[in-house]
Amino acid sequence: IPNDQAFRLLVKDLTGIAPRSEKQIFNAVAKLGIPTVEAVLLYHVVPGATIYSSAAVKANGAVLKTAQGGTLAVAVYAGPEISLWDKDRNSRNARVILSQVDINKYNKQVAHGIDRVLRPIDLPPLAH
């Protein structure tokens, strides 16, 4: 799941302007339209998989199918650092925040914090 800073970076990437408040972030993301926001959110969900951090660090090269219908590639580097490669070639790939892993542990819906919003498509720039 993207943290607050990830949404700030998304808005800056799409508008060229760094938002100062949550309201500005919300308003900018809303300009993408409900279908796009829904697709982006569903792109963060891997249905039918409970992936704990202990398995994620061994998943180098894995391809995950998302609830949106697209795929994400997993790259694991020394450290460890886990990177998720999305479909937007113009954005920096998201990294798992190692201090924010296994959120909701022992449930079917485990989450890991990431530092960027995953993009299922090349999102268009937004007017500001």
Side-chain angles (χ1 to χ4, degrees), residues 42-65:
L42 288 173
Y43 194 61
H44 290 78
V45 177
V46 178
T50 303
I51 306 166
Y52 292 110
S53 59
S54 58
V57 297
K58 299 172 187 170
N60 188 45
V63 176
L64 306 174
K65 177 125 178 155

Side-chain angles (χ1 to χ4, degrees), residues 16-91:
I17 297 172
R20 296 176 189 234
S21 69
E22 280 189 33
K23 184 176 182 177
Q24 289 174 325
I25 295 168
F26 178 84
N27 289 339
V29 170
K31 286 181 182 179
L32 290 168
I34 291 174
T36 300
V37 172
E38 180 179 46
V40 167
L41 293 176
L42 288 173
Y43 194 61
H44 290 78
V45 177
V46 178
T50 303
I51 306 166
Y52 292 110
S53 59
S54 58
V57 297
K58 299 172 187 170
N60 188 45
V63 176
L64 306 174
K65 177 125 178 155
T66 72
Q68 177 266 347
T71 58
L72 295 169
V74 178
V76 180
Y77 304 101
E81 179 180 301
I82 303 169
S83 181
L84 301 173
W85 297 18
D86 62 22
K87 297 298 179 191
D88 189 338
R89 302 283 183 222
N90 300 317
S91 69

